[in-house]
Amino acid sequence: MPVEHSQPILSVKGVSKRFGGLMAVSEVGFDVAKGEILAIIGPNGAGKTTLFGLISGFIRPDMGSVRLKGHEIVGMAPHKIVRMGLTRSFQIVQVFADMTVLEAVTAAALVRKPMREAVRKAEEVLERIGLSAIRNESPASLSLQDKKMLEVAKCVATDPELILLDEVMAGLTLAEAELPLAIIRDLRDSGITFVMVEHVMPIVMKTADRLLVLNFGQKIADAPPAEILSNQAVRDAYFGEEMPHA
Amino acid sequence: MKPEFFTLLRSPAIWLVLAFAATMPLWLPPYYLGIGVLTLIYIAMALSWNIVGGLGGQISLAHSLFLGVGAVFTSALLLKFGINMWVGMLISAALAAIMGVGIAWVDFRFKLGHLSFALITLAFAEIGELVVLGWDFLGGASGLYLPSDKGDLLAFQFGGAKGYFWLALVIAAGCFLVNFAIINSPLGYYLRAIRDNENAAQAVGVALLRNKAIAMAISAALTAIIGTAYARYVAFVDPYLFASPAVVIEVVLIATIGGLGTPFGPMVAALLLVPFGELIRGNFGGVAPGLHYLVYGVLIVVVILSMPRGLVPRIMDVMARRRAS
């Protein structure tokens, strides 16, 4: 799908966050165009998940600006940001343990729809994501892959324009990752923009339109995958001597 | 609202049970009728607490404040200012709802965890008891005596155990309906999502403060209404009963033994335990006062160890498994 080059759907400018003596995120800025898949990569502790927290309203930045569709969202509560069209998944899967899969996705769909329509919407989303067969299971009893797809389903049920995915493919084999990848591409083709934190480099290289590399809380590169591979700073910080095989 | 709510309303079984319960004052001996009134009051208290404690997962011990407002404040309004108890009950329900919203705000503002929430609400309850004990307007330590009951409905007088049984039945049925309505509405989904995982709930658009405050306000208002009815029934507003956290701790134990989250758990547990506790107290109260608390204590240990989700969810699981096999 061609990327639109009008106003960015998300614009992050000079965002910083310090935890005590640790500068977790330092003056990071980037734009995301509508329909784009941006992958954020970086070594452990580089600040990727903190950056997601800053964008989605769970952590308040010390400074900087985050604009969603042109509106400043710094200081807004997470649920209000969801209502504006930005939702997120969590690195450590956060299930609603005492609900069924259908109920968990219905809870998400209720953000925009009344009760009966929300149940219908949840059923549609589960069908689309391929979780219909386990709609009455408890999320706690699901496989890791299904739990991760349930995270995606909850995000999609809120009718978002932008989804932040935090390592939804971590822990999956490359073969297992094929299904979530196909679903993400399908969702992107239906107009949803993605920003994803991912560690599995072959997946990142195959999926992302653009890569943003963080190291020690700072942005060290922001370019298409092919350019990132030849970036010396990235090689030093992230890949070491070993090049990833895309 | 999900269709399940209307299915329940159309269920003949529910109406048959209610109709049968409504006949009980006509044939139960007075002693057992008294136990019946108390059981219905505990069912109502357990169900109204379940909105916050069971659905919202917040172990609130502040409900003695709301019970106290309904019982003590309403009675004080009647005795000191001559305000009709119906009006007083509504004023108290509104006041309790406002206090509930205040507690929800404190919880949200200071991001209290489960343990901190329980301790803070216990502290509020203790402060409430001290205020009642130390303030003459509310009767102080000697309590308040309500005028004798002449059966004048307009004055919130129901004329003896029969009348109070029917009143308590209406309140308990109302609390059950409110629980069931919440479970089948967006608020129920939001509360369960918040209970299971606050971050995940926010990430799908659930507003923490708004939903916790609504749940607390509904629960507090219902508890205050129960407080007024209970106080009028016993006619003596004992601060050590109505303003002490002891009753609420008992309600929490009953609801936990029954199983939180559905209306059936707290209801069934109160239905079993309150008459059982009263019979123990009636028969052994002279030689072993407080024995029924010991029984609750042992039961809660047994239930938590053998069926952590409570009695009713366990029974429902077993029935579902039997149906499946």
Side-chain angles (χ1 to χ4, degrees):
Chain A
M1 185 176 165
V3 171
E4 292 175 18
H5 293 287
S6 53
Q7 184 194 46
I9 187 165
L10 180 73
S11 180
V12 178
K13 283 195 173 64
V15 163
S16 297
K17 182 69 191 177
R18 177 184 287 278
F19 295 116
L22 174 74
M23 199 68 184
V25 172
S26 177
E27 294 188 33
V28 169
F30 60 93
D31 287 346
V32 183
K34 189 164 171 53
E36 192 176 20
I37 298 181
L38 171 71
I40 301 178
I41 63 171
N44 285 332
K48 306 182 294 292
T49 295
T50 303
L51 184 60
F52 267 20
L54 296 170
I55 296 170
S56 55
F58 282 87
I59 305 171
R60 198 185 171 107
D62 298 329
M63 54 186 276
S65 151
V66 181
R67 297 181 86 84
L68 179 66
K69 296 183 285 181
H71 302 284
E72 182 64 55
I73 58 171
V74 165
M76 278 177 73
H79 71 273
K80 288 188 177 160
I81 294 175
V82 174
R83 282 164 200 269
M84 286 183 67
L86 186 157
T87 184
R88 67 168 293 186
S89 74
F90 289 88
Q91 184 181 1
I92 298 165
V93 179
Q94 313 265 319
V95 295
F96 298 137
D98 280 341
M99 290 181 168
T100 63
V101 166
L102 177 63
E103 286 173 335
V105 180
T106 303
L110 280 166
V111 70
R112 294 197 197 282
K113 302 200 181 305
M115 195 71 237
R116 291 183 192 204
E117 281 181 44
V119 175
R120 270 198 296 276
K121 168 85 182 176
E123 281 170 343
E124 279 170 27
V125 170
L126 288 175
E127 186 71 45
R128 186 173 187 183
I129 307 281
L131 296 178
S132 265
I134 53 165
R135 62 210 283 277
N136 293 321
E137 302 283 321
S138 159
S141 67
L142 303 184
S143 68
L144 179 65
Q145 185 178 18
D146 284 344
K147 277 182 185 164
K148 300 236 174 190
M149 291 322 293
L150 175 58
E151 283 281 288
V152 177
K154 284 192 302 185
C155 290
V156 173
T158 66
D159 270 340
E161 291 177 62
L162 172 62
I163 300 180
L164 311 181
L165 290 180
D166 199 347
E167 297 198 27
V168 285
M169 278 165 273
L172 304 184
T173 63
L174 286 180
E176 285 172 336
E178 282 302 323
L179 178 66
L181 269 179
I183 289 167
I184 288 168
R185 286 199 198 100
D186 173 49
L187 291 167
R188 190 269 290 269
D189 290 346
S190 68
I192 299 176
T193 306
F194 284 90
V195 178
M196 53 200 282
V197 165
E198 205 52 70
H199 267 305
V200 188
M201 288 311 295
I203 291 173
V204 171
M205 293 297 171
K206 266 168 75 172
T207 319
D209 300 310
R210 192 157 62 93
L211 260 60
L212 187 146
V213 189
L214 290 183
N215 194 28
F216 293 113
Q218 290 183 314
K219 183 174 92 172
I220 59 170
D222 181 355
E227 281 181 39
I228 291 291
L229 289 179
S230 55
N231 183 311
Q232 191 56 45
V234 176
R235 292 161 67 110
D236 292 344
Y238 188 53
F239 302 127
E241 291 305 311
E242 195 181 330
M243 287 293 293
H245 300 286
Chain B
M1 193 70 70
K2 276 173 72 181
E4 283 84 342
F5 177 72
F6 301 103
T7 309
L8 177 90
L9 285 187
R10 284 193 293 266
S11 158
I14 290 287
W15 293 106
L16 274 175
V17 169
L18 266 181
F20 171 74
T23 67
M24 290 173 86
L26 305 176
W27 47 269
L28 263 183
Y31 173 66
Y32 293 104
L33 190 58
I35 293 179
V37 177
L38 199 63
T39 303
L40 287 169
I41 286 171
Y42 270 81
I43 288 175
M45 283 197 287
L47 284 170
S48 58
W49 182 84
N50 187 52
I51 296 167
V52 169
L55 296 178
Q58 295 191 290
I59 306 300
S60 163
L61 300 176
H63 275 56
S64 63
L65 281 180
F66 314 138
L67 190 74
V69 167
V72 184
F73 188 61
T74 308
S75 302
L77 288 178
L78 170 72
L79 295 171
K80 309 290 161 103
F81 299 124
I83 294 176
N84 181 292
M85 278 189 94
W86 287 105
V87 178
M89 181 177 76
L90 294 178
I91 293 171
S92 293
L95 179 62
I98 292 167
M99 291 163 82
V101 170
I103 290 171
W105 181 83
V106 169
D107 169 48
F108 176 78
R109 174 68 183 75
F110 297 98
K111 293 185 170 62
L112 302 178
H114 289 296
L115 181 61
S116 306
F117 182 79
L119 292 175
I120 293 274
T121 52
L122 179 61
F124 280 129
E126 294 285 356
I127 292 168
E129 185 177 10
L130 290 174
V131 168
V132 172
L133 290 174
W135 192 6
D136 282 345
F137 172 72
L138 297 175
S142 43
L144 296 167
Y145 288 90
L146 290 171
S148 62
D149 190 330
K150 298 191 177 74
D152 178 4
L153 286 180
L154 291 177
F156 204 82
Q157 294 172 6
F158 293 83
K162 280 185 188 174
Y164 285 99
F165 186 96
W166 285 318
L167 172 67
L169 182 62
V170 168
I171 294 176
C175 289
F176 181 83
L177 268 188
V178 170
N179 264 262
F180 211 75
I182 290 175
I183 285 172
N184 288 292
S185 71
L187 177 62
Y189 277 78
Y190 296 150
L191 291 177
R192 290 166 66 201
I194 291 169
R195 176 190 65 193
D196 285 358
N197 192 315
E198 287 196 357
N199 279 342
Q202 288 186 92
V204 295
V206 177
L208 291 188
L209 176 61
R210 183 169 178 271
N211 291 294
K212 284 182 176 183
I214 292 172
M216 195 59 122
I218 295 171
S219 177
L222 287 175
T223 307
I225 290 169
I226 297 162
T228 304
Y230 193 5
R232 188 52 268 194
Y233 168 57
V234 294
F236 168 52
V237 187
D238 178 358
Y240 298 102
L241 170 65
F242 289 107
S244 156
V247 174
V248 174
I249 289 171
E250 204 178 341
V251 167
V252 173
L253 291 182
I254 289 172
T256 309
I257 291 169
L260 304 174
T262 78
F264 296 103
M267 189 175 72
V268 169
L271 206 54
L272 296 174
L273 291 175
V274 177
F276 184 57
E278 283 303 301
L279 290 174
I280 292 177
R281 189 151 59 182
N283 291 303
F284 302 102
V287 286
L291 182 63
H292 66 297
Y293 285 127
L294 181 70
V295 173
Y296 288 174
V298 171
L299 273 177
I300 199 156
V301 171
V302 170
V303 166
I304 285 174
L305 291 179
S306 61
M307 39 188 127
R309 290 172 59 219
L311 190 63
V312 170
R314 173 75 177 164
I315 292 170
M316 286 164 82
D317 282 351
V318 171
M319 283 167 63
R321 227 172 288 145
R322 283 207 177 153
R323 267 202 303 272
S325 63

